[in-house]
Amino acid sequence: MPAVMAVEGGDPDLPAKLTKQVLICSIIAAFGGLMFGYDIGISGGVTSMDDFLIEFFPAVYVRKHKAKENNYCKYDNELLQLFTSSLYLAAVVCSFFASKSCKKFGRKPTMQLASLFFFTGVVLNTAALNLPMLIVGRLCLGAGVGFGNQAVPLFISEIAPPKYRGGLNVCFQMLITVGILCANLVNYGTSRLHPWGWRVSLGGAGFPALFLGLGSLLIDETPTSLIERGHKEKGLETLKKIRGVDNVDKEYQEIVRATQLAAKMKHPFRNLMKRSSRPQLVCGTILQVFQQFTGINVIMFYAPVLFQTMGFGADASLLSAVITGSVNSLATLVAIFGVDKLGRRFLLIQAAVQMLISQCITGGILLMHLKTSNSISKHYAYILVIMICVFVSGFAWSWGPLGWLIPSEIYPLETRPAGFFFAVSTNMIFTFLIAQAFLTMLCHMRSGTFFFFSVWIVIMGLFAIFLLPETKGIPIDEMNERVWKKHWFWKRYYVDVCVEEDQEVAKPTDEKA
């Protein structure tokens, strides 16, 4: 079972400061996001390097340089896709064990395990002599991602003062985008280092892993984790330290109450299947599906490959990936500063319109001007880069960070741990599916691939308009009463809840009678 999240938002007047200790701990922990982002960005650049293809995928190399080869099918190879997607398959499995580790050993040791797994994967990938060694390395990286993505958002949520929770949580997504940008810059530089440039690119992932591992030695465990595991005095001391005040008794009692209630909850996954939990389960899970079906990871995983398919040269494709990575990082700042002012739904709906327009224009240009063996004209190529930047910016301030933030705040206490685990697992499963299928889709559907994702963007935009309630400014423990029970559609799932609760209360009396 995933570890319990602390109760937040019940009393907006809880004394707390945004202390230096909280900022340092959040930044160090968020390097788990940098580690994840670097790996997302590095794989696409490496798989476009000739030296790497000659070493592990010679058939793809031959096809890439064939004069009359189909533009859309240059990189269609299941093993090449497995190189990228295997990481996320491992992450799905390991996120479950990470949730157990968070509860039993704490958030801090779980982040250290993430660093260890990731660094092991880096060593195997950098020194890879054959394809099996390369894939095993990717699986180790996936274990690191699974442990890191489970522990880091949880860690930040529990140490952040309630009114800063949204902004600090988005910092995790921000560092994912920075990691992608760093990977694109590294790829651009190492593409000229023959024949071992790809080894430098893959080895660079070791730096954020080392930073997270060594930095985690300096940070404090969260008060919730300490109290949950029976270290109440240490938990109180740590709470005073990270809040910057001595008057933390009210928050301390709320955390104690939360951990006591969680300890009584023997079957959280069973409770998650109840009718009254269905609104949060549907919304929290479907957001992860939608996040992947925007098509964003297609851009992030395979940006250099995609740009080469569009007719760019090797250097130009890597440089274009750097540009989109820069836009991704800068646009995430909008979410950090705007999510608690503009609201979740506004950002999601606005971005859906923006992404839909850019995807349709991209697909239309490719449909009209990129055939199986020609090169696209320069001015259309520039328009494509602009449209992809427009698409990436929309995602970066909406479906990217909010896809993680909203599931962390919509569940009531008794189902929050299980619900968050479902969100992480769903994200990794669909990331794996998209990564494994995209190059084959591009080969067979061609420009239709972009229209495929456009249809999904329409669906997710309509979902945000009609079925996703606004959670801005709502205390977590009041979410049911103020959000779900008043929503025009989801309120029907609470009609019988009061009756069921009355029956549960009446059972002991009936038995005595």
Side-chain angles (χ1 to χ4, degrees), residues 389-401:
C389 287
V390 169
F391 171 82
V392 168
S393 64
F395 177 87
W397 63 56
S398 61
W399 295 89

Side-chain angles (χ1 to χ4, degrees), residues 160-469:
K163 66 178 180 179
Y164 298 110
R165 172 172 48 88
L168 287 174
N169 259 312
V170 174
C171 285
F172 176 68
Q173 176 71 20
M174 177 69 184
L175 279 184
I176 291 178
T177 67
V178 171
I180 294 170
L181 174 59
C182 289
N184 289 332
L185 289 169
V186 169
N187 280 334
Y188 185 67
T190 59
S191 63
R192 296 170 175 80
L193 300 178
H194 303 289
W196 41 267
W198 63 271
R199 294 188 188 272
V200 177
S201 290
L202 293 177
F207 290 102
L210 274 177
F211 188 92
L212 178 64
L214 296 176
S216 65
L217 298 174
L218 306 176
I219 63 180
D220 296 303
E221 180 61 272
T222 71
T224 301
S225 177
L226 290 166
I227 295 168
E228 183 182 32
R229 292 180 290 120
H231 307 296
K232 291 188 176 181
E233 290 185 6
K234 178 65 175 174
L236 179 59
E237 179 185 331
T238 302
L239 187 60
K240 291 178 180 179
K241 182 178 179 180
I242 65 175
R243 292 292 177 258
V245 294
D246 290 329
N247 181 23
V248 295
D249 290 343
K250 193 166 187 177
E251 184 175 3
Y252 174 74
Q253 292 302 324
E254 285 192 4
I255 295 174
V256 170
R257 178 172 61 86
T259 56
Q260 288 173 343
L261 287 171
K264 294 176 182 177
M265 190 62 59
K266 302 300 182 183
H267 305 289
F269 288 96
R270 186 182 302 170
N271 282 347
L272 194 61
M273 297 301 121
K274 288 183 177 179
R275 178 180 172 84
S276 58
S277 297
R278 208 167 297 164
Q280 299 95 327
L281 180 62
V282 170
C283 290
T285 304
I286 202 71
L287 280 174
Q288 301 298 325
V289 177
F290 287 158
Q291 188 189 73
Q292 296 312 308
F293 276 92
T294 58
I296 186 63
N297 277 339
V298 165
I299 305 292
M300 293 299 118
F301 290 152
Y302 298 117
V305 169
L306 189 60
F307 285 124
Q308 285 198 29
T309 296
M310 293 175 180
F312 288 68
D315 285 349
S317 67
L318 288 170
L319 182 59
S320 299
V322 170
I323 293 170
T324 56
S326 302
V327 170
N328 192 22
S329 295
L330 292 173
T332 305
L333 294 172
V334 175
I336 291 177
F337 296 107
V339 66
D340 293 318
K341 295 179 180 179
L342 300 172
R344 281 68 162 151
R345 290 179 71 250
F346 174 83
L347 289 175
L348 292 173
I349 295 166
Q350 180 278 328
V353 174
Q354 181 174 322
M355 291 190 296
L356 176 63
I357 293 170
S358 60
Q359 284 279 47
C360 287
I361 292 174
T362 299
I365 291 174
L366 293 178
L367 176 65
M368 297 298 294
H369 300 284
L370 184 65
K371 307 305 178 183
T372 57
S373 59
N374 71 315
S375 294
I376 201 166
S377 63
K378 185 174 289 187
H379 65 280
Y380 280 118
Y382 289 148
I383 294 173
L384 286 172
V385 173
I386 293 170
M387 285 300 101
I388 288 176
C389 287
V390 169
F391 171 82
V392 168
S393 64
F395 177 87
W397 63 56
S398 61
W399 295 89
L402 302 187
W404 290 106
L405 174 60
I406 293 172
S408 75
E409 63 186 7
I410 60 175
Y411 289 97
L413 177 64
E414 60 269 20
T415 57
R416 198 175 304 153
F420 190 67
F421 169 73
F422 265 92
V424 173
S425 299
T426 302
N427 185 281
M428 293 301 153
I429 288 170
F430 280 88
T431 302
F432 166 77
L433 292 174
I434 293 294
Q436 183 64 29
F438 171 67
L439 294 179
T440 301
M441 287 174 61
L442 188 63
C443 178
H444 292 87
M445 296 174 65
R446 302 187 182 185
S447 58
T449 304
F450 294 89
F451 296 112
F452 169 81
F453 288 119
S454 297
V455 171
W456 279 98
I457 292 172
V458 171
I459 294 171
M460 63 184 72
L462 292 173
F463 182 89
I465 292 171
F466 295 108
L467 294 176
L468 187 68

